[in-house]
Amino acid sequence: MFFKRRPKSPAELSDEELLVRYRREGEVADLGALYERHMPAVFAICRRYLRPDEDAQDAVMQLFEKLVVTLRQHEVSNFPAWLHTTARNYCLMQLRARQRAGPESGPLVLHFPDATAVELAPAAHLEDDADDLTLTEERLQAMEHALAELPEGQRRCLELFYLQKKCYREIADETGFDLGLVKSHLQNGKRNLKRSLESSANAAR
């Protein structure tokens, strides 16, 4: 007597196995299980570029809809790396669309306030401070590259403060740094980031 082997559940399969089975059978539940594994990372990427958080959440869902089609047509060897690039490029396309929509869509601005006055205040409350950087696609790419080149402590503190809108105390709790080191990383990271961006801008001229 022959018994039909029970198909493995998505949780039992690796990323690569899920991709192969999805390409072969087109079962969206397999893709959903795969995407769910990486959804926190995708959301973090979207939050780097899209505000408010509702826009980033919408992007996460829209990306999944694109993957339903794309991953049936294309083979992917390193899914996490491919997904990171795909999410980043999708966000950049959304920003391009906003720019084409005209001034009514609002400026794309990343704020770099003076870090000495915000020990207990989230960066989101400091939008009137000077020293703003308007983000075009090129500057977004330069920003991502410059952040990646920073020392780990500086990069982490900058991302938490400026991109995730954490206050000093929240950053200290999340990283384990004391408040003095958080302030130092922010000040040094901000200076190094601006220097790197200015160097990239000069090289492009």
Side-chain angles (χ1 to χ4, degrees), residues 111 113 117-118 120-129 161 165-167:
H111 298 277
V118 287
L120 298 176
H125 295 167
L126 299 167
E127 294 185 354
D128 294 330
D129 287 351
F161 186 73
K165 310 302 183 186
K166 303 281 187 179
C167 69

Side-chain angles (χ1 to χ4, degrees), residues 52-73:
D53 278 359
E54 287 77 8
D55 286 357
Q57 292 166 356
D58 288 344
V60 171
M61 294 300 101
Q62 290 160 5
L63 271 165
F64 178 73
E65 294 173 4
K66 290 175 64 68
L67 298 189
V68 169
V69 176
T70 301
L71 289 175
R72 291 297 307 279
Q73 300 171 343

Side-chain angles (χ1 to χ4, degrees), residues 11 35 52 57 69 77 106 148 200:
Y35 193 59
Q57 292 166 356
V69 176
S77 58
S200 296

